[in-house]
Amino acid sequence: MAFPWPTSPPTRSHRAAFADATVRPHWIDALPAREPRPPLAGAAEADLCIVGGGFTGLWAALYAKEDDPRRDVVVLEADSIGFGASGRNGGFALGSLTHGIENGLARFRDELPQLERLGRENFQGFVGDIQRLGIDCDLELTGDLVVALEPHELEWVAESAELLGRFGHEHEVLDREAIRAEVASPTYLGGLWDKTDAALVDPGKLAVGLADAASAAGVRIHERTRVTRLDDDGAGVRVAVPSGHVRARRVLLATSAYPPLLRAIRRYVAPVYDYALMTEPLSPAQRESVGWKRRQGIGDMANQFHYYRLTRDERILWGGYDAVYRYGGPVRPELDDDLETFAKLSQHFFMTFPQLEGVRFSHRWGGAIDTCSRFSVFFGTAHRGKVAYAVGYTGLGVVSTRFGARVALDLLNGRETEATRLRYVRSKPVPFPPEPLRSGVIQLTRNRLDAADRNAGRRGLWLRTLDRLGLGFDS
Ligand SMILES: Cc1cc2nc3c(=O)[nH]c(=O)nc-3n(C[C@H](O)[C@H](O)[C@H](O)COP(=O)(O)OP(=O)(O)OC[C@H]3O[C@@H](n4cnc5c(N)ncnc54)[C@H](O)[C@@H]3O)c2cc1C
């Protein structure tokens, strides 16, 4: 089979399928109505001020309280809990700290056995904490399925299976017949089911559940409170918001792809938009027609990949493929809607599941990913160690944010641990160049990745050079 996705434009019916969709993450739309927590007004004091109410900020708040219940912790969130990537993602909960074993081998070969073990412990801790805190977020331990759509990808399946085996993952290689028996798509040629450290969650419920657990532990959370600047303030830091400020002994930045409060972060992070569609709940007949009894999260294997999964109420989330970087890296609500990307996603969805013709999408949305050139979280401190940050998860942060939060807190408290000694924690990614070069380089790389996908995965000179330099672009 040639390149699986059509070069013909999406049809009117592909576009009609999402025309009435609500432009909002389904996960957030489906949450029970709740009163937002009040914005910060006036002057406040805190031992620790966390900026950002996503997974990183909320795990950090919880751990700061668990470490020392007397510590006064405040979280400031510009919009609402889970407003950022944490409420917009696919809910694929994977243990890897390195964006997969292959990327880990390319960038942290010496530390990978340790990083895989720490990732496994973090995954188990993630599942354990969700249970311990009683967070109902539709956790399903289904494993992760990658599907091959082209013959050359079958070789990649074999290579990936060898790596999973080497690092102790329980896994199963599926041939054409077996994969189609698992999930009914005429596009599948084979697959690989990783059964270790791979689950699904409802990320909206997880974000709200973590915030409620943090509030119950005594953390003060303020929504609709955008931090505008940080200033050194003697023994602490002054955290300014439009209607007041916090004087904090320590500050933890968990602002992901949003404009950073430290210039140092800007060099390393490019906000890359990723888009998703969510179907209406499938009818029993439609649901039956796709098989998918074991409900794994699914991704295809090309550079430009789709990810898709079922929800508890039997919808299908379908996202990925395009990864859109715009000049200057803006992050704005208007960018949540991108009709051309949705049209392509819709076209690919109906190619994958032609039996679902007529299904409509109830929601469509986009979200900014904090892409960095090594595809995994990085850390740093500023203001003489009084401020720490954890950003750069590059599209794989549902579970690793728990690890990132722990490490950032330890850096802030000057606590040396096995993790803080790692090169993984102490080193930074190769920075992206400033604009206008940045968008030029990213567009060229995207273009070359697309070309590789259309040419049986063969990487041209540009990509091979980046590979040699340890540089990359992903979402
Ligand atoms: C469409 C999409 C799909 C994804 N799919 C997956 C997936 O399936 N699996 C996976 O592992 N990962 C996935 N990811 C990545 C994952 O969602 C993120 O890595 C993770 O949620 C990052 O959490 P965070 O808390 O660091 O950042 P965020 O959740 O983005 O939180 C940052 C918060 O900071 C707030 N903020 C920013 N600036 C300020 C300021 N100045 N003052 C106050 N608040 C501020 C923002 O409003 C935001 O709420 C996906 C991401 C996207 C966008």
Side-chain angles (χ1 to χ4, degrees), residues 96-105 112 116 396:
S96 176
L97 299 176
T98 57
H99 216 113
I101 295 175
E102 212 175 333
N103 186 53
L105 274 176
L112 191 59
E116 274 285 296
L396 201 70

Side-chain angles (χ1 to χ4, degrees), residues 1-2 4-6 147-151 153-154 176 179-180 183-190 298 300 306 308 318 347-355:
M1 187 167 73
W5 308 114
V147 292
L149 309 181
E150 295 188 79
E153 293 175 354
L154 293 171
R176 180 186 159 112
I179 186 77
R180 292 185 187 196
V183 182
S185 173
T187 60
Y188 295 172
L189 301 184
I298 302 180
D300 46 41
H306 304 85
Y308 41 112
W318 178 265
Q347 180 187 39
H348 296 182
F349 174 86
F350 289 109
M351 272 191 65
T352 304
F353 296 121
Q355 66 273 47

Side-chain angles (χ1 to χ4, degrees), residues 270-321:
V272 171
Y273 267 79
D274 188 51
Y275 292 89
L277 292 166
M278 182 73 94
T279 70
E280 294 171 335
L282 302 184
S283 69
Q286 288 165 338
R287 178 66 189 84
E288 186 68 27
S289 74
V290 290
W292 212 347
K293 295 265 166 33
R294 291 187 272 199
R295 306 178 58 82
Q296 306 92 330
I298 302 180
D300 46 41
M301 298 194 87
N303 292 306
Q304 300 185 94
F305 62 95
H306 304 85
Y307 55 89
Y308 41 112
R309 56 161 293 184
L310 294 160
T311 63
R312 175 161 288 178
D313 62 350
E314 308 291 9
R315 300 164 184 267
I316 297 177
L317 174 144
W318 178 265
Y321 200 73

Side-chain angles (χ1 to χ4, degrees), residues 52 54-56 77-78 84-86 89-92 227 254 256 274 307 395-398:
F55 294 148
T56 302
E77 163 54 48
S86 299
N89 60 71
F92 285 60
V227 174
S256 184
D274 188 51
Y307 55 89
L396 201 70
V398 168

